[in-house]
Amino acid sequence: MFIQKNFLLIVLALAVVFAFAMRATIFQQQTTSTPPPTNGIATNFADYWFANKAEVNTYRLEQADYGVLNPGDVVMVFATVNFRTDKQVELDTALSVTDKDKAIPVLKTNIIKKFTTGLHDHSLLTSVFTPINTGDSRSGPFANTLKVSTTSQDWLGHTYLQLNYRNSSYRVQGNSYFEHEVDEDYTVSKATLEDELWNRIRLNPEALPRGETQLIPGTMTARLRHARLDPLPAKLKIDNYEGVLYPGKFLKSYTIEYPTDDRTLIIIFEGQFPHKIVGWEETYKTRDNLLTTRAVLQKSITTDYWNHNAPADSTLRKTLLLNQ
């Protein structure tokens, strides 16, 4: 009789007990659990950088060259790729069982800079490949950026410059229309690359080098100035950015000063993840005029741009405020 009179109450009580046993109650909303970090990478980092998309940023540019400031624009693309450590090239084929340990994840940066000087055009592109510390033993030995390549084209001609990390040093190879750069092949001692600092900011700005150290200057600026790539003494520091020129909140400034070269680079980035780079300033002499190149972020999106290559996809360029 008791069971019959209290059947509904008993069923409800059993349902509540069952729900608690399943770690959920009838009063809780169902949520999607976040997968645990893999290979030692923080979850938000993995979700952002391993989503099979690239981060594409566009900047308004004023470029110092020929003793004046020239108008232009910059596209900066960040993406994670697999990189062959033996051939030092981005992996695009399946590896055999014996070669599976020869590929590691890297953060790749492509910086595409275009500007005009009076009548003629200039175009430069730098690619940087920096290993990501995934906690995987394969990436352990590769603390240094493995490869940097830079090309430049203008109405005078074109150049190519490449650095490869081998045997605890960087091999520098270059070709150019410019006579004293026509065929370059030399080695410089191991040092932090200025070109890799963009990646280091994105990976972990807390680990950026600070104080006095040796840096190998940026390849893009070296080509514009026709300068050899030798390590130079540098002073580096991080501060809170207090200005109003660059967009974003909780901004930081990373200053790289070369006392012996009269050159200073300041990179402005977001202090919070994903640490987007919102602009930079680079000051040096050009034709005896001390000028400051400046780039200011216009737009940032994440996209699988390699899948948007049909004529109809050209409308997507408008979202990046690119010149048509």
Side-chain angles (χ1 to χ4, degrees), residues 192 194 197 209-217 231-237 255-260 263:
T192 300
E194 179 188 309
L197 296 177
R210 308 183 197 192
E212 297 184 3
T213 187
Q214 293 280 312
L215 281 186
I216 297 175
L232 295 176
K235 298 179 180 179
L236 306 98
K237 64 177 181 178
T255 301
I256 303 102
E257 180 185 359
Y258 294 93
T260 62
R263 176 171 165 259

Side-chain angles (χ1 to χ4, degrees), residues 282-298:
E282 182 184 10
T283 302
Y284 58 86
K285 280 188 177 181
T286 166
R287 290 193 174 176
D288 295 326
N289 290 329
L290 187 65
L291 298 174
T292 298
T293 292
R294 182 174 286 109
V296 180
L297 180 67
Q298 300 297 290

Side-chain angles (χ1 to χ4, degrees), residues 45-58:
F45 183 95
D47 288 346
Y48 191 84
W49 288 114
F50 292 96
N52 199 30
K53 290 186 176 181
E55 181 192 281
V56 182
N57 307 279
T58 54

Side-chain angles (χ1 to χ4, degrees), residues 6-147:
N6 299 278
F7 179 76
L8 292 176
L9 181 61
I10 292 171
V11 171
L12 180 61
L14 290 174
V16 171
V17 171
F18 179 77
F20 274 107
M22 297 299 292
R23 296 185 179 180
T25 75
I26 58 176
F27 307 106
Q28 291 176 319
Q29 294 182 347
Q30 184 177 1
T31 58
T32 302
S33 60
T34 301
T38 59
N39 293 333
I41 302 177
T43 303
N44 58 346
F45 183 95
D47 288 346
Y48 191 84
W49 288 114
F50 292 96
N52 199 30
K53 290 186 176 181
E55 181 192 281
V56 182
N57 307 279
T58 54
Y59 302 82
R60 184 180 68 251
L61 174 70
E62 288 183 316
Q63 176 67 47
D65 201 19
Y66 293 102
V68 296
L69 292 175
N70 306 278
D73 56 66
V74 179
V75 177
M76 185 178 289
V77 182
F78 293 93
T80 54
V81 298
N82 289 319
F83 190 80
R84 286 198 63 144
T85 57
D86 54 345
K87 297 181 178 180
Q88 294 207 349
V89 70
E90 187 173 335
L91 179 68
D92 59 7
T93 58
L95 289 174
S96 65
V97 174
T98 56
D99 287 340
K100 65 180 181 179
D101 292 332
K102 295 179 180 178
I104 62 171
V106 302
L107 182 60
K108 177 180 72 172
T109 304
N110 281 337
I111 305 174
I112 304 102
K113 180 183 289 187
K114 296 184 178 182
F115 62 96
T116 58
T117 55
L119 175 62
H120 60 107
D121 302 316
H122 297 256
S123 178
L124 301 97
L125 192 154
T126 294
S127 296
V128 187
F129 300 87
T130 303
I132 299 170
N133 181 14
T134 63
D136 190 319
S137 60
R138 291 175 300 167
S139 62
F142 301 105
N144 296 84
T145 288
L146 298 178
K147 182 178 180 179

